[in-house]
Amino acid sequence: MLPCPMMTLRRFLRLTPSLLAVVLAAPSLRAADDLSNQYREPANRLIDAALADTAGYARLAYLCDRIGNRLSGSPSLLKAIAWSADEMKGAGLENVLTPPVKVPHWVRGQESAALLSPVERKLHMLGLGLSVGTPPGGITADAVVVPNFDALAKLGKSVAGKIVVYNAPYVNYGQTVAYRSAGASRAADLGAVAVLVRSITPLAMQIPHTGALQYAASSPKIPAAAITIEDATMLDRMQQRGESVRIHLEMQAHMEPDADAANVMGEIPGSEKPEEVVVIGGHVDSWDVGQGAQDDGSGIMAALEAVALIKKLGLHPRRTIRVVFWVNEENGGRGGEAYRAQIGGEVANHVAAIEMDGGAEKPTGFGYGPFRRMRPRPGEPTPQSPQLNASEQESYAICQQIAKLLERIDAGKAEMGGGGSDIGPLVRDGVPGLSPSNVGLHYFDWHHTEADTVDKVDPEDFRRNIAVLAVLSYVLADMPGRLAGHKSAAAE
Ligand SMILES: [Zn+2]
């Protein structure tokens, strides 16, 4: 939370939040100085270096193959943190630190699901992160398949004592993920004993996708697991034929006391305004399946290499560029909150926060601003494009100038709406948030599965992402003015 004086100032000046954003966006940008001319030469050098880069992908492959997935509380996460700090030092970053962060420690344990009736068959499952386990010996119950929350509500208390199976077709991640996050509590409120959730993915390949759930404080906690599209639709067909579906579910999932972990950070100090910071990164943790390659090994390794190249080329941005690998994005968000707490009042000197956490498919450009959340909260529609105030319009125009520098790699699109959950606490307090955009063709095919392995990251696409991050972070750290931020309602 920003201190009270800001609110007092606003009241004193009788400013609306949007007018306050104009006042805060000083010094003002001069649209006449087109940044795409001013920064063409260093941007081209950065792009050339990124397109020829091999060190970034080599690091990503090492992280994936040799350290592997890294759930909060796991020994491999600690290994990844220590290794990352060494790699930052090796890349020439200064002030490399690993500030400690306590993280939730969820343990999956043994788990399985089986169909008992109308035929006996193994179900392909993966417990949802933060789920409770079943009692020893598991749960055996009749199942009821529903396509959505409305159908569940219509069934009401008749689902008591049963296992609810959500067979909701994938619309988009933001919308469909509601069944994973809220499905357990919605069913528990009606007396269900467990839920199985059709994986949040457009692709049926008999692979279950995990991810965090959120229990409502007022609801009983029941076990929840993802099943595959193939299994969910089979159960649905059985129910439609009038066959009684009976399932056995066994999960040893449980929480242990909070574990030790850390954020990882290193920087290139600014040449003129070292106190002003562009922060860039992704999350170092992952789920406990696959290799956490796209999510989010690719984000942290691309961010590190982008900044390493700025350093290697001898570019000296006016402001500090700080690389941060946030911890515990997947099941807690403690790293992002810890970083926000760590910087305290220096948040006012954070001129931009860039997060890459959408995979490393072929980039199309980048998004700016909290005007449209990348992923609407469960159950919410995608918010409409908002009216921008003068300061935001000017900043958006600046983003388009920066994006022009990326046209030669087909990544010249600046869009409204960028950010991510790790930089959420910064954006909430008025730091402009940005994130690279990409074609997004396959990310949710692999997301949170055993299949999120390094072979899914195309080296050429990965290099282009490095180029986007390098040009974006360098220009934001060096340009004369700064982008407008927008304190969110939650922070006011
Ligand atoms: Zn992620």
Side-chain angles (χ1 to χ4, degrees), residues 283 285 294-296 329-330 355 357-358 375 443 447-448:
H283 62 90
D285 65 307
Q294 289 279 10
D295 186 15
D296 183 28
E329 189 273 345
E330 295 292 5
E355 178 170 352
D357 187 17
R375 295 172 186 172
Y443 185 65
H447 186 245
H448 297 179

Side-chain angles (χ1 to χ4, degrees), residues 328 373 407 460 492:
N328 186 229
R373 278 195 300 276
E407 275 171 357
E460 186 55 36
E492 294 196 324

